Amino acid sequence: MNLSNLKPAEGSTKNRKRIGRGTGSGRGGTSTRGHKGAGSRSGTSSKVGFEGGQMPLQRRVPKVGFKNPNRVEYNGINLDALQQLADTYSVSTINFDTLKEHGLASRNDLVKILGRGTLTAKLDIQAHAFSATAQKAIEAAGGSIVKL
């Protein structure tokens, strides 16, 4: 067997329906467009979402909610992740570059430190935001925070 004699499995392919190729084909005459009307003419297309005059789904479903255009989204990093970082790499200062280096943040992220887990290491942490519990835990462990 080689590339020159490969064939699809028996029954796995069908011939396409060729319309407008004479009455003997079964799809000649009106070529599956029916008689008269805009749909039988060339150059017709319906609007996206048009359902033949029935109220379209987009208009049947009620509007709901509000998207705040000024929302600021933070990438949350918990204390247990920082503790693990301190244990593994023995760092005492954690800034945005450190987080990026170890895959905890991406280039355009805003970082918020969250309070899950326990922190025993004395860390100096720089981030865009801190939760109240995280701030207490960092200061209780003897560390300091700097908001960027």
Side-chain angles (χ1 to χ4, degrees):
M1 177 184 279
N2 59 24
L3 291 177
S4 67
N5 61 9
L6 287 177
K7 281 195 295 193
E10 194 67 41
S12 69
T13 60
K14 287 181 174 178
N15 293 336
R16 66 188 184 90
K17 294 177 181 175
R18 297 180 70 219
I19 60 171
R21 291 292 179 272
T23 51
S25 70
R27 290 184 199 86
T30 59
S31 300
T32 72
R33 286 169 172 260
H35 297 281
K36 296 189 191 171
S40 70
R41 322 257 189 246
S42 68
T44 62
S45 61
S46 59
K47 284 182 181 173
V48 173
F50 184 67
E51 298 182 16
Q54 170 178 299
M55 188 60 68
L57 180 68
Q58 185 182 337
R59 290 185 62 198
R60 288 198 302 267
V61 176
K63 290 186 194 173
V64 83
F66 166 75
K67 285 269 196 238
N68 183 0
N70 301 317
R71 177 185 161 91
V72 177
E73 191 145 344
Y74 289 99
N75 177 21
I77 298 176
N78 281 293
L79 292 177
D80 52 9
L82 296 181
Q83 181 61 49
Q84 188 177 6
L85 196 67
D87 294 341
T88 317
Y89 300 102
S90 62
V91 290
S92 59
T93 338
I94 293 178
N95 56 23
F96 188 68
D97 294 330
T98 313
L99 296 172
K100 235 177 12 180
E101 201 177 296
H102 297 291
L104 292 172
S106 300
R107 191 165 51 110
N108 297 323
D109 281 352
L110 295 176
V111 174
K112 182 170 185 174
I113 306 299
L114 304 174
R116 187 189 70 199
T118 54
L119 188 69
T120 53
K122 179 180 180 251
L123 296 173
D124 301 322
I125 302 172
Q126 296 176 9
H128 299 98
F130 294 86
S131 71
T133 51
Q135 190 169 342
K136 281 180 194 165
I138 292 164
E139 287 165 352
S144 65
I145 66 161
V146 176
K147 288 186 181 174
L148 296 175

